[in-house]
Structures are given as structure tokens and as C-alpha cells.
């Protein structure tokens, strides 16, 4: 039986995850293969509820889909696996069903939080980050000559901050301004970065450049091409990323159909949602080479080659 006490035990276990120590690459081994590889999952969006046939979402099926993906990841030589948001679809208790699956993963795991991860009772909003085993909703880590930057697109939104948080007022104004402009992404289920987080993103990219690191940014919301699912402040994010020579790509979920774009020599890859369809899954293995990135898709996810532009 799922109780609040059981769920708190799950949360406490998740919060004890050891800090990521980073990794180096073996130049000799890289001669015959990638420098390193990692796994990607987008939008499991689990909930113990009946399917939504109109949107083709089969929430409960994500348990076996994710379990199969983890089994496949465990057979690969991966440095980590990242989930690009929407671990759950709704209900606080859903976390206690799906998070234990990740305990079977042999690799380091990282989470990006999505809008549905906050579709819980108001009293639990402040506990979402801790429950996912994260110290903060936006953070960075490094390995293999890369800096991976995880951004939090829920930072300024109308649903993630606690009810009395001033960010909700800022979010309401940003949404109203977008609606006044008839912006396609003026949707209440999107969000944006705080000015503080945006400044941190810029500083972290510059610090990576000073350290000689390439950058891959990971978020839940797309920012390019223009789409109804895009973050409210996607324009300033794209401007920053395309102006930064060491940035290689931006990876995200949220738009379950998937999407892709390239501008300013940067790649924007929207991975497909695992929750969609009754029987077909979606996940990827990303292989990083000196001059390119190869994405091996499974299920609904396709293969893709990203040629790395010289800085």
C-alpha cells in the first residue's frame, strides 16, 4: 500500500545519491569507437491511470517501457542516463512507483524536471526536487571534455513555484505579455528561466569555454524551432547558445512528437515521448566522437548524426 511514509522513504533514499565524479576518456579505446556514450529518456510521464486515447498517451505502460530501456542501457557502456522531464504525469504517489525502477540502472542517472512533475498537491511542490534526488532543479556536471548543463524551465511558471512565491506573479505577467503578442507558445503549461538562472547559464557556459569544454545543454522544454511547446523565453536562450562557440547542442523533451532544428551551427534535438502509443517505446543512446555525435534511437526514436562545428 502506498502511504506518505513509504513515499518519504523513497525520497530519502533518492536524496542520498553520491555526487557525480565526472569521467575522462581513453584515447586508445576512442580510436575504434566513441569517446563516450550516454542514454536519453524523454517523458515517461507515468501515472496509474487509464490511457488518454485522444492524445495517444498510455501512462501506466511507461513502467514496463522504462524497465525495458533500463535493461537495454545496462548492456551498454554508458557514462550516465538522463531523463528529460515528466517522470510522472500526475499524483504524488506516482513517484513511489517509477523512481525505484532507476535503482536497477547500473549507470549514473540525472533528471530534468518537467511541468507534469509538478502536477501534485500544493503541499508537495517544495518536495519535488528532493524526491527526484536532486540538490537543485538546475545544475551542471562535466566529463569527457564536455560540460552538461541542466536548466529548469519550470523556474518561472504558473504551476511549479509554491503558491506564495513571487515568481508566480512574474510568470503571470510573462504569459500575459506573450498572449498579447499572440505568441504560439503562450501556453500555461510552458515556463521560463528566472533572470538569476539565465545569468548562471551564461556564466557556466563561459566557465566551460575557459576550461576548454564543449557544452551540451539539457532542458525539458524546446527552444527552437518555433513551436507551441517552446519556453516563454526561448528567444534569449537561443541567442545565448548560438553566440557561444563551445555550445554543441540543446537536448529536450516536452513535445512528444519530437522535433529538430539547426541554427547558428547549433543543434536542437527534441526527443520523442516514451508515454505515447500503447506498445512502442522511445529512448536513445548518444555516442560522442571527436567530430560528430551519433544518436541511436530505439522504438519511435530515429537515428541522427550531428556534425560538430569547429569553434
Amino acid at each position: 500500500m502506498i502511504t506518505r511514509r513509504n513515499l518519504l522513504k523513497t525520497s530519502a533514499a533518492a536524496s542520498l545519491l553520491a555526487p557525480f565524479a565526472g569521467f575522462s576518456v581513453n584515447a586508445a579505446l576512442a580510436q575504434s569507437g566513441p569517446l563516450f556514450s550516454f542514454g536519453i529518456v524523454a517523458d515517461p510521464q507515468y501515472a496509474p491511470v487509464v490511457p488518454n486515447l485522444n492524445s495517444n498517451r498510455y501512462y501506466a505502460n511507461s513502467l514496463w517501457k522504462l524497465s525495458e530501456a533500463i535493461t537495454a542501457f545496462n548492456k551498454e557502456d554508458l557514462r550516465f542516463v538522463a531523463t528529460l522531464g515528466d517522470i510522472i504525469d500526475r499524483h504524488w504517489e506516482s513517484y513511489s512507483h517509477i523512481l525505484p525502477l532507476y535503482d536497477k540502472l547500473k549507470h549514473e542517472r540525472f533528471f530534468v524536471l518537467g511541468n507534469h512533475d509538478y502536477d501534485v498537491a500544493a503541499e508537495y511542490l517544495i518536495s519535488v526536487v528532493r524526491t527526484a534526488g536532486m540538490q537543485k532543479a538546475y545544475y551542471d556536471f562535466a566529463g569527457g571534455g564536455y560540460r552538461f548543463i541542466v536548466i529548469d524551465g519550470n523556474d518561472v511558471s504558473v504551476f511549479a513555484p509554491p503558491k506564495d512565491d513571487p515568481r508566480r506573479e512574474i510568470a503571470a505577467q510573462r504569459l500575459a505579455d506573450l498572449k498579447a503578442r499572440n505568441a504560439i507558445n503562450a501556453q500555461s503549461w510552458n515556463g521560463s528561466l528566472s533572470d538569476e538562472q539565465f545569468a548562471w547559464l551564461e556564466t557556466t557556459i563561459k566557465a566551460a569555454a575557459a576550461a576548454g569544454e564543449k557544452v551540451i545543454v539539457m532542458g525539458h522544454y524546446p527552444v527552437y524551432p518555433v513551436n507551441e511547446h517552446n519556453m516563454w523565453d526561448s528567444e534569449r536562450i537561443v541567442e545565448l547558445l548560438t553566440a557561444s562557440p563551445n555550445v554543441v547542442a540543446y537536448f529536450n523533451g516536452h513535445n512528444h512528437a519530437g522535433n529538430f532544428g539547426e541554427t547558428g551551427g547549433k543543434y536542437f534535438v527534441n526527443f520523442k515521448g516514451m508515454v505515447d502509443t500503447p506498445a512502442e517505446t522511445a529512448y536513445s543512446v548518444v555516442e560522442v566522437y571527436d567530430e560528430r555525435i551519433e544518436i541511436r534511437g530505439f522504438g519511435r526514436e530515429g537515428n541522427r548524426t550531428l556534425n560538430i562545428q569547429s569553434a
Side-chain angles (χ1 to χ4, degrees):
M1 178 179 179
I2 303 302
T3 66
R4 180 176 181 180
R5 176 174 294 180
N6 290 339
L7 190 55
L8 289 175
K9 287 181 179 178
T10 300
S11 304
S15 67
L16 295 176
L17 293 175
F20 187 62
F23 60 91
S24 58
V25 297
N26 187 316
L29 292 177
Q31 295 297 320
S32 59
L35 299 172
F36 63 90
S37 303
F38 59 94
I40 289 287
V41 174
D43 302 85
Q45 212 163 311
Y46 166 77
V49 298
V50 298
N52 183 329
L53 300 182
N54 291 329
S55 60
N56 202 28
R57 294 180 183 173
Y58 295 77
Y59 310 103
N61 293 14
S62 286
L63 285 187
W64 67 257
K65 289 181 184 180
L66 181 61
S67 183
E68 284 191 353
I70 287 173
T71 297
F73 287 147
N74 284 343
K75 296 177 181 178
E76 301 262 359
D77 181 16
L78 306 180
R79 299 299 183 173
F80 63 87
V81 172
T83 301
L84 301 178
D86 285 359
I87 307 165
I88 67 167
D89 179 75
R90 70 194 90 161
H91 306 322
W92 183 244
E93 292 78 8
S94 296
Y95 282 114
S96 66
H97 295 174
I98 194 167
L99 287 179
L101 295 182
Y102 286 93
D103 293 338
K104 299 177 182 178
L105 186 65
K106 296 178 180 179
H107 313 295
E108 298 278 357
R109 62 184 183 266
F110 293 98
F111 290 118
V112 179
L113 295 177
N115 52 309
H116 282 278
D117 293 319
Y118 290 90
D119 194 1
V120 296
E123 62 265 30
Y124 295 127
L125 289 175
I126 61 172
S127 300
V128 171
V129 173
R130 175 175 56 84
T131 296
M134 303 160 64
Q135 293 186 355
K136 197 170 184 180
Y138 61 90
Y139 57 95
D140 64 289
F141 60 97
Y146 273 74
R147 175 70 48 176
F148 298 90
I149 303 177
V150 174
I151 61 172
D152 174 27
N154 309 300
D155 195 357
V156 176
S157 64
V158 297
F159 51 81
K163 294 294 186 181
D164 57 349
D165 194 300
R167 288 175 295 170
R168 288 210 174 213
E169 294 183 15
I170 299 173
Q173 186 59 57
R174 288 183 181 181
L175 181 56
D177 291 344
L178 285 171
K179 287 183 176 180
R181 291 161 39 196
N182 293 317
I184 190 174
N185 62 329
Q187 310 291 341
S188 61
W189 29 263
N190 293 331
S192 56
L193 306 187
S194 63
D195 292 339
E196 177 186 7
Q197 185 185 168
F198 183 82
W200 168 84
L201 173 61
E202 185 173 24
T203 298
T204 305
I205 291 173
K206 289 180 178 178
E213 297 169 334
K214 296 183 178 71
V215 168
I216 292 176
V217 180
M218 296 187 289
H220 178 60
Y221 303 90
V223 295
Y224 183 87
V226 174
N227 187 274
E228 66 176 346
H229 296 86
N230 284 13
M231 288 179 63
W232 294 339
D233 54 346
S234 57
E235 292 178 359
R236 68 171 176 173
I237 295 172
V238 172
E239 182 178 353
L240 172 60
L241 300 187
T242 54
S244 304
N246 60 323
V247 170
V248 174
Y250 178 89
F251 291 169
N252 67 271
H254 191 50
N255 177 5
H256 295 192
N259 206 351
F260 176 78
E262 179 185 355
T263 185
K266 317 301 178 185
Y267 299 101
F268 298 82
V269 184
N270 188 153
F271 291 85
K272 294 181 179 179
M274 177 176 278
V275 69
D276 293 50
T277 78
E280 195 172 14
T281 190
Y283 61 93
S284 301
V285 169
V286 180
E287 300 174 339
V288 180
Y289 295 80
D290 272 326
E291 76 289 351
R292 72 187 191 281
I293 293 175
E294 297 283 352
I295 298 175
R296 286 193 284 121
F298 296 81
R300 294 171 54 241
E301 194 64 67
N303 299 331
R304 196 179 298 277
T305 298
L306 312 177
N307 293 313
I308 299 175
Q309 308 289 329
S310 58

